[in-house]
């Protein structure tokens, strides 16, 4: 199984209902949450499992891959 590259998440704040599903399902360490009680949007996710995107009831979580240059 190949490892996915790290990602940075974006959240559509106008659509987010702050249900907490993304935080509850996230396998990252406890510190991987934003000041708005969602998954972090300001640091790369090295796991990149994307489970949070799948569970979001309003489908407002998206991601972009972190480029090799940006992560070094």
């Amino acid at each position: 199984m190949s490892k996915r590259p790290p990602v940075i998440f974006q959240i559509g704040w106008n659509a987010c209902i702050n249900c907490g599903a993304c935080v509850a399902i996230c396998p990252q360490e406890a510190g991987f949450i934003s000041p708005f009680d969602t998954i972090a949007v300001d640091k790369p996710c090295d796991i990149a499992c994307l489970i949070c995107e799948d569970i979001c009831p309003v489908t407002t979580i998206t991601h972009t891959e972190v480029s090799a240059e940006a992560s070094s």
Side-chain angles (χ1 to χ4, degrees):
M1 182 171 152
S2 64
K3 186 176 188 268
R4 293 183 183 184
V7 298
I8 296 280
F9 290 107
Q10 297 86 36
I11 296 178
W13 298 114
N14 290 330
C16 179
I17 58 173
N18 293 97
C19 66
C22 57
V23 174
I25 199 81
C26 183
Q28 277 281 22
E29 61 192 33
F32 197 73
I33 56 172
S34 77
F36 305 103
D37 294 325
T38 63
I39 55 164
V41 294
D42 58 350
K43 54 183 150 182
C45 175
D46 294 330
I47 295 173
C49 65
L50 309 181
I51 295 172
C52 56
E53 284 187 26
D54 293 337
I55 201 158
C56 180
V58 292
T59 61
T60 194
I61 301 172
T62 59
H63 72 278
T64 54
E65 289 184 0
V66 177
S67 67
E69 303 82 47
S71 61
S72 55

